[in-house]
Amino acid sequence: MAKASEPEKIQHLVEQALAAHRSGNFDAACEAYGGVVLTQPNLPDIWRLYGMALAASGNVAAADDALIRALVFNPAERSCLGFLGAVRLDLNDPASGLAALRRAMSLGGADDGTFNNLGNALRRTGALHPALHAFSCALALAPANRLAWLNLGVAFRAAERAVLATNAYRRALVLAPEWIDAEINLSNALQIQGDFTQSAGILRDLERRTGQLRFALKRALLLPIVSQNVDEIELARNQLSDVIEQLSQSSFTLVDPLHEIGQTAFYLSYHDRGDRPLQSALAQLYLRACPALSHISAFARTWRGPNNKRIRIAVVSEFLHAHTIGRLNLGLIQHLDRGRFEVVVVRPDRRTDTVRLAIDAAADHVVRLPDGLDLARRVLGDIEADIIYYTDIGMSPLTYFLAFARLAPVQMLTWGHPDTTGIPNLDQFISCAAMEPVGAEAHYTEKLRALGGPTIFYARPEPVARKSKSDFGLAEGATVYLCPQTPQKLHPDFDAAVIDILRADPKGLLVLVHGLDPFVGQRLVNRILEQASDLEERIVMLGAMSADQFRALMGVADIVLDPFHYSGGHTTLEAIDARAPLITWPGRFMRGRHTAGFLSLMGLDPMVSTSQSDYVTRALALGRDPALRQEMRAAYQTQDGAIFECAEALDPLADAFESAIVDA
């Protein structure tokens, strides 16, 4: 029998690869394609198909290489560019993926898959409205594309349009009943709308159907966003504690907690309870279920001191853009002494805005934080930072689970989310001494470092155009008692105070802002009206607004009410800048003492209330006396240099960084 020629062997391998590819046997297809390109590396179509098979088999890094090889031969191959864009998304590089997808779109003839991938890339880079348009285009071409319906729901949720997100998830589930990802997302959207019964029911059914204990934990983490009463708070906390205890005694395991759980106990901190026991128990549960969380990098294990004269600090957050976290930490990144420190900003690609651009320009280096936990650990560890400084832990599942690893000899967090974490590998909690109560050390699993000064360098905001009360639909003759905090910050204990204020001041309006979804705001209003239905016409809930509109709103307030138990932070700074008279009563925990701390740093302790009744009395006195309000505004103007652009503000923090390295 004649021996097969080389071209015949290659043709046979190609046929093998195509047959395996068509049948879904991607491992076999990859092996055959690999044999082809080994001997015949100049076949662009084979490289493209090889890349597709590699991606389908889970080897996305190799898929990326193969697709790049294909594009060397034909840089304008639309389908290859589109698939490369999808692979780059899987590699947690949405900016590069977006560039490839836009190039594919420019060549015309895009299909629903390309539009879907484009929408994902746009969403992950913060371009929500273009993302919604891209998903709509995908569904116009293919109404039965279940993935596009799911992704449309995710984009609606990111745009704080929970009802539309719910509808999209339901459409996905019509096309694919019992699709776990869609069910989880639907449960989350229902939670935002306050439908805890249906939300928990979905997770309970998933646990029954799959036998996966993770759904029991996810259900327990469905903490009320706006608690209706103290009993609801106690019930939710007890249920979480019970589930943690039950799972701790079981064979509960996790491989990737970020993917499998994907949420934090964020809303615990709004309950006015000590969270250390629950946060510690939850962290220990995760460590038992997934020991890999406590990974120690080789650098951290062998560290013997800074590699150069400067201490390298990695500042890590998902919110280093035009967000409270970005604004509070911009000054640190700009002004920390570069003779002593090298600053590396570590953040995902979420959105581009003026704050992010200023942060990036001020940093010595900027490193993109990938979305996947394993890859994020690798990227953060490779920075070889002497100190990792998390600006917030508990707001983002990614940074929460990332913080379990030991990737630097010193790992700190600060009060962007002012609560303890329970995570053993977080060494120190950097706080402001003026905001901490006596005995605060007992509130933290981390070592508390309560520093002098504000612990932030906060630039005075740029002036905004002045507005009138009527610009916000408010009566010019009304006394505006503004509580501009997000609704979850308003504890049920606060209701009695605002009701007393409104009943004692017939001209008073309580003005609220629903910073999340309208459902959250309405749930708050309904809670207050259950106790005081006669005040319905004097409670105003304003919707989402731009940052400049929000600051202009501060300027029309006669009094700003700081809620009990969870104080304003960045919002308080904006109120002081707007010269809006503040009423505050410090709580039991640091998170309820920000405003009192800022006033104390300004030397204005006498303006801090001493009890709930004193709070109401002071608010009414200001509401009735314009001269008293003017006196407070004048005091702010004279004293606010202690908190705005204070040259010495970062000195205690810089010293804390250096002493932590000495002690490490």
Side-chain angles (χ1 to χ4, degrees), residues 51-371:
M52 294 171 65
L54 285 164
S57 68
N59 193 347
V60 288
D64 187 79
D65 292 338
L67 293 167
I68 291 295
R69 293 289 295 268
L71 287 166
V72 167
F73 297 99
N74 184 0
E77 216 291 312
R78 183 182 59 79
S79 65
C80 195
L81 283 164
F83 211 84
L84 178 66
V87 165
R88 292 282 167 87
L89 293 182
D90 287 340
L91 286 170
N92 290 301
D93 189 356
S96 177
L98 180 58
L101 287 159
R102 281 181 166 154
R103 173 68 176 142
M105 297 291 295
S106 72
L107 299 170
D111 58 13
D112 59 302
T114 304
F115 273 113
N116 179 63
N117 289 329
L118 177 65
N120 273 335
L122 289 164
R123 176 185 62 79
R124 289 171 60 180
T125 53
L128 292 178
H129 293 297
L132 290 168
H133 177 71
F135 292 131
S136 298
C137 290
L139 290 165
L141 291 171
N145 187 330
R146 65 171 188 165
L147 199 55
W149 280 114
L150 178 73
N151 290 328
L152 178 65
V154 172
F156 275 135
R157 180 65 201 94
E160 298 178 356
R161 298 163 75 178
V163 171
L164 293 176
T166 298
N167 294 339
Y169 297 143
R170 292 193 189 281
R171 290 292 296 268
L173 285 165
V174 168
L175 295 166
E178 300 190 354
W179 185 11
I180 290 177
D181 287 347
E183 290 176 284
I184 291 172
N185 285 348
L186 177 59
S187 172
N188 293 338
L190 290 167
Q191 179 200 16
I192 290 294
Q193 295 171 64
D195 191 345
F196 290 94
T197 300
Q198 191 173 176
S199 177
I202 290 170
L203 296 173
R204 188 177 290 107
D205 183 61
L206 281 168
E207 182 186 0
R208 177 191 58 77
R209 232 170 54 220
T210 66
Q212 296 179 24
L213 295 175
R214 66 181 177 118
F215 293 115
L217 181 55
K218 285 180 69 66
R219 189 171 73 251
L221 288 167
L222 285 178
L223 300 165
I225 296 173
V226 175
S227 301
Q228 294 302 288
N229 49 56
V230 173
D231 289 343
E232 187 177 59
I233 288 172
E234 293 302 327
L235 177 62
R237 294 176 73 90
N238 289 339
Q239 287 176 340
L240 178 57
S241 179
D242 290 346
V243 168
I244 291 171
E245 176 64 25
Q246 291 162 13
L247 293 180
S248 297
Q249 304 301 320
S250 74
S251 57
F252 179 55
T253 59
L254 295 166
V255 176
D256 181 356
L258 177 60
H259 174 72
E260 294 168 280
I261 302 298
Q263 62 198 94
T264 72
F266 174 71
Y267 294 105
L268 282 181
S269 61
Y270 299 99
H271 293 167
D272 187 38
R273 301 290 186 274
D275 290 334
R276 178 174 177 166
L278 265 177
Q279 293 283 24
S280 296
L282 182 59
Q284 289 302 317
L285 174 65
Y286 284 134
L287 288 167
R288 280 191 293 271
C290 183
L293 276 174
S294 59
H295 167 79
I296 304 174
S297 70
F299 171 76
R301 187 182 292 110
T302 60
W303 182 85
R304 294 293 180 270
N307 290 328
N308 53 43
K309 293 181 180 178
R310 296 194 298 169
I311 296 170
R312 179 176 294 170
I313 298 178
V315 180
V316 184
S317 176
E318 191 166 330
F319 305 106
L320 293 173
H321 52 255
H323 179 280
T324 292
I325 300 301
R327 293 186 173 103
L328 287 177
N329 288 281
L330 171 60
L332 164 71
I333 295 162
Q334 289 175 324
H335 298 288
L336 194 63
D337 183 357
R338 290 310 197 271
R340 300 158 70 185
F341 304 101
E342 176 187 5
V343 178
V344 183
V345 164
V346 187
R347 49 142 184 81
D349 279 331
R350 287 291 183 264
R351 63 190 68 182
T352 299
D353 51 46
T354 55
V355 176
R356 172 182 155 176
L357 292 173
I359 287 172
D360 288 1
D364 294 300
H365 308 283
V366 177
V367 175
R368 188 185 62 80
L369 188 66
D371 289 327

Side-chain angles (χ1 to χ4, degrees), residues 545-558:
M545 61 187 73
S546 70
D548 284 353
Q549 286 177 308
F550 186 78
R551 288 172 50 216
L553 176 63
M554 296 283 197
V556 307
D558 295 297

Side-chain angles (χ1 to χ4, degrees), residues 633-645:
R633 292 187 180 105
Y636 289 171
Q637 186 165 0
T638 303
Q639 302 295 111
D640 69 4
I643 58 173
F644 290 131
E645 300 177 1

